[in-house]
Amino acid sequence: MKKRCHRVRTSHRLATGVCLALGMFAMASLPGCSGAEVPETGPRVKSFALEQPESTPLGKSVARASGMNQGASGFELLTSGRDAFQAIVALVRLSRKTLDLQYYIWRANRTGRLLMAEVIAAADRGVRVRLLLDDMDIAWEDDELRKLSAHPNIEICIFNPFENRDAGLLDILFDFQRITHRMHNKAFIADNSVAVIGGRNVGDRYFSVDDQSNYRDLDLYVAGPIVREASRTFDRFWNSEWSIPIAYIDEDGNGDGAVSALQATLREAVAFGDTPYDLVQDIDAARDLVDARFERLIWTESARLLADRPNKAKTKRSHVLTKMEAMLDVSLQHELLLEMAYLIPGEKGLEWLCGLVDEGIKVRVLTNSFLSNDVLTAYAGYRKYREDLVACGVEIFEMRPHAEFVKRDWNWLKPTSAANLHTKAAVIDGELVLIGSFNLDPRSIRLNTEIALAVRNERLAGQVRKFITDGMKPDNAYRLKAVDGDLVWVGEVKDGKRLKRTEPGIASWRGFITILLSTLPNESQL
């Protein structure tokens, strides 16, 4: 494999929207389309998570924090980008044996490069780092990753890589069935003792430091036995045929002799750049930060990790969806509260949601508005079902681009920074919480591998419920209603009256393109 050209590779959903017609044509017309078969590589040595995490300082801290809750796992919500970034950096600094990092996206911007520098520093002190990245939206050049993997303690694998590194469109044309299968998981695991799992990738928009727009998102900070389950899932992906070492991809790379130069460049960028937050400056401060978080953990034995298999492209089976459906069949009696970045239920999902309302179950959903969405193709797919959902009694709220909760980050953001919704979360009957990478759309169901945590705890469920319902308030979201057969957007309050209006922002060229996209037969790829 040769080095790719980044110009043909943006976000997966955007690339799908642009190249979908070519891919569908390829599947239907070209004999060269190989289907879901990963390219062959040379031999590799399998590796696994740390076997005795309790021997590490983090493992010992988890044991102390669990107290009388032996056998239970602890959870805390990470509702802001600032908290999420500081939590991860502190865990990197406290790690002593292993870091297992699995992400769909890792940007090479301020936070991405700062976190990479922290990871290199951990490797320098002997921590084994395994970094698994999806190949659709990598912001790092192949030779940069090869240089990093030349570090004796850093291993890097790419999930389902493009074969044509300089011409990715050829893979879209001739190998679309494979290339459209992506790894959407997000998991950070330190010493097999503490994990951060949820919706955030790595990059400025996920950590609330982008000048233009930032994501509203949600992660769970996790400690205890369920972390071992996350590590087993990571091992399954890491050792699968779908994960290819960077050495097999960048065969002509010059990484072996240049790792120190790249390390120096990253450290220099961090030292002289503007760091987004006041980060902990020494190991004692990092330990204090982690110990304080441990004191806030909610402990429960009623928790499960839901994860797809890396070979989902071949089996067409969604383990996450299957397990979610089983839980909902047992648990859902009164209320389903959803916050979904991308909501494309399809005909079956529409029938299911409306059927819940018919059974007397209250269904409320917070998702992106036209102005807050970051992917036109996904929003176009959602528009097809919105009117029917409202008509059957599903309560739909669409997030405003300048929602009030964005202002909580304005002390370090420009006031013009807008909001995009990226959360994937659900609360069932005020007791069961689902948080992860899974969207209610065809791509999460059929094409992407996903991960989620299911936790049954009223206290945690109450916190997530408040997070979602706060997002539904009039100063944060539009409420959609049907009036005389037409949809209206009920938003902010002025003079005691709620304003009713047509869809905000749709009367634009971007809106015209969205409406046009909604007519295309591409729903299976959204």
Side-chain angles (χ1 to χ4, degrees):
M1 295 182 178
K2 296 181 179 180
K3 180 181 172 184
R4 74 175 179 285
C5 175
H6 282 278
R7 288 173 294 182
V8 301
R9 313 276 294 291
T10 53
S11 75
H12 179 39
R13 291 178 182 270
L14 180 57
T16 297
V18 172
C19 302
L20 182 61
L22 293 175
M24 294 178 68
F25 174 75
M27 287 190 290
S29 308
L30 299 178
C33 187
S34 64
E37 296 292 338
V38 71
E40 295 183 2
T41 61
R44 54 180 295 199
V45 178
K46 291 185 177 182
S47 63
F48 299 91
L50 181 66
E51 291 187 0
Q52 295 180 316
E54 65 277 2
S55 65
T56 67
L58 272 177
K60 293 176 181 178
S61 294
V62 172
R64 287 194 300 270
S66 63
M68 300 299 294
N69 298 296
Q70 296 297 323
S73 295
F75 302 88
E76 186 187 35
L77 293 180
L78 297 175
T79 60
S80 77
R82 179 187 184 121
D83 283 348
F85 189 70
Q86 290 180 324
I88 288 175
V89 169
L91 289 174
V92 172
R93 293 185 177 181
L94 289 180
S95 62
R96 288 298 175 266
K97 295 293 185 180
T98 61
L99 286 171
D100 291 332
L101 316 177
Q102 182 179 12
Y103 285 101
Y104 176 57
I105 294 172
W106 188 310
R107 298 289 186 210
N109 49 28
R110 285 179 292 174
T111 53
R113 298 184 80 82
L114 176 57
L115 186 57
M116 189 67 80
E118 294 283 349
V119 168
I120 293 172
D124 287 345
R125 63 175 183 265
V127 176
R128 184 199 68 181
V129 177
R130 295 188 295 176
L131 176 60
L132 177 57
L133 300 173
D134 186 81
D135 198 36
M136 180 57 74
D137 202 13
I138 291 179
W140 303 82
E141 295 288 349
D142 287 346
D143 61 339
E144 287 182 305
L145 295 177
R146 177 64 180 266
K147 292 171 185 176
L148 287 171
S149 69
H151 192 294
N153 291 324
I154 297 178
E155 303 171 72
I156 298 176
C157 280
I158 307 300
F159 187 86
N160 195 17
F162 278 59
E163 271 196 287
N164 296 285
R165 311 304 287 178
D166 292 322
L169 284 175
L170 291 177
D171 283 7
I172 292 175
L173 278 171
F174 291 96
D175 205 5
F176 186 74
Q177 289 183 13
R178 177 180 70 85
I179 287 302
T180 195
H181 170 59
R182 307 314 319 169
M183 181 192 76
H184 198 230
N185 307 41
K186 296 101 169 146
F188 172 98
I189 308 170
D191 283 344
N192 199 7
S193 300
V194 185
V196 175
I197 296 171
R200 288 185 181 90
N201 294 292
V202 176
D204 288 355
R205 294 183 70 186
Y206 301 95
F207 297 128
S208 302
V209 297
D210 189 275
D211 289 339
Q212 301 303 314
S213 62
N214 289 276
Y215 286 123
R216 167 182 165 92
D217 217 331
L218 197 60
D219 289 325
L220 275 172
Y221 187 96
V222 188
I226 203 167
V227 177
R228 320 289 194 272
E229 295 183 36
S231 290
R232 285 191 287 271
T233 294
F234 182 93
D235 286 346
R236 189 178 295 120
F237 273 82
W238 181 263
N239 294 314
S240 78
E241 62 178 347
W242 293 87
S243 300
I244 310 301
I246 189 65
Y248 289 125
I249 296 173
D250 185 34
E251 295 174 345
D252 299 325
N254 62 344
D256 291 344
V259 62
S260 59
L262 180 59
Q263 291 176 6
T265 299
L266 284 172
R267 292 189 181 112
E268 182 178 357
V270 172
F272 294 99
D274 55 330
T275 56
Y277 308 123
D278 294 329
L279 298 175
V280 291
Q281 297 301 315
D282 56 49
I283 193 66
D284 290 333
R287 188 176 294 109
D288 290 343
L289 188 65
V290 170
D291 287 344
R293 195 172 297 280
F294 281 173
E295 291 180 3
R296 298 192 297 268
L297 292 179
I298 296 172
W299 296 89
T300 177
E301 294 184 18
S302 184
R304 293 180 62 187
L305 183 83
L306 317 180
D308 286 328
R309 300 294 189 266
N311 65 344
K312 185 175 178 178
K314 290 183 178 180
T315 65
K316 309 298 182 184
R317 182 184 177 191
S318 173
H319 288 263
V320 174
L321 179 63
T322 300
K323 293 175 181 177
M324 283 183 177
E325 287 177 334
M327 289 180 178
L328 290 170
D329 285 342
V330 174
S331 301
L332 183 55
Q333 301 293 329
H334 307 290
E335 181 189 60
L336 176 62
L337 192 63
L338 296 172
E339 181 166 337
M340 288 285 157
Y342 308 118
L343 176 66
I344 310 171
E347 292 299 331
K348 290 184 178 179
L350 174 65
E351 182 181 353
W352 174 66
L353 290 170
C354 291
L356 293 178
V357 176
D358 289 342
E359 294 172 8
I361 296 172
K362 188 173 185 178
V363 180
R364 291 190 289 170
V365 184
L366 174 63
T367 190
N368 275 303
S369 66
F370 170 71
L371 290 173
S372 72
N373 94 90
D374 62 333
V375 183
L376 292 185
T377 51
Y379 191 77
Y382 155 67
R383 291 185 83 251
K384 298 178 183 179
Y385 298 98
R386 181 173 57 190
E387 188 171 348
D388 288 339
L389 287 168
V390 173
C392 78
V394 176
E395 298 181 22
I396 301 291
F397 298 81
E398 293 183 353
M399 192 179 75
R400 297 170 54 199
H402 295 287
E404 284 295 312
F405 57 71
V406 177
K407 292 180 181 179
R408 70 184 181 187
D409 290 339
W410 278 8
N411 59 324
W412 62 85
L413 288 177
K414 289 184 176 179
T416 55
S417 178
N420 304 120
L421 192 151
H422 196 257
T423 313
K424 306 97 168 56
V427 181
I428 296 92
D429 284 354
E431 295 180 346
L432 178 62
V433 169
L434 295 169
I435 294 174
S437 67
F438 187 92
N439 288 293
L440 189 56
D441 63 8
R443 174 154 291 281
S444 284
I445 293 172
R446 301 186 184 95
L447 298 175
N448 290 346
T449 67
E450 307 287 358
I451 189 170
L453 286 164
V455 185
R456 188 178 296 278
N457 181 275
E458 289 188 5
R459 181 180 166 197
L460 185 67
Q463 293 177 359
V464 180
R465 193 177 190 279
K466 184 179 187 305
F467 177 81
I468 297 176
T469 54
D470 282 351
M472 293 175 171
K473 291 179 179 178
D475 52 2
N476 291 323
Y478 305 108
R479 167 76 186 275
L480 272 64
K481 289 190 175 182
V483 177
D484 298 327
D486 295 323
L487 283 181
V488 297
W489 279 252
V490 181
E492 64 273 27
V493 178
K494 289 187 177 180
D495 299 327
K497 296 181 180 180
R498 295 174 185 247
L499 301 183
K500 296 182 179 180
R501 54 194 301 187
T502 57
E503 183 167 11
I506 199 67
S508 62
W509 278 107
R510 190 169 179 263
F512 173 77
I513 294 171
T514 301
I515 295 171
L516 179 63
L517 287 171
S518 67
T519 65
L520 299 178
N522 61 352
E523 186 170 296
S524 65
Q525 294 294 317
L526 301 179

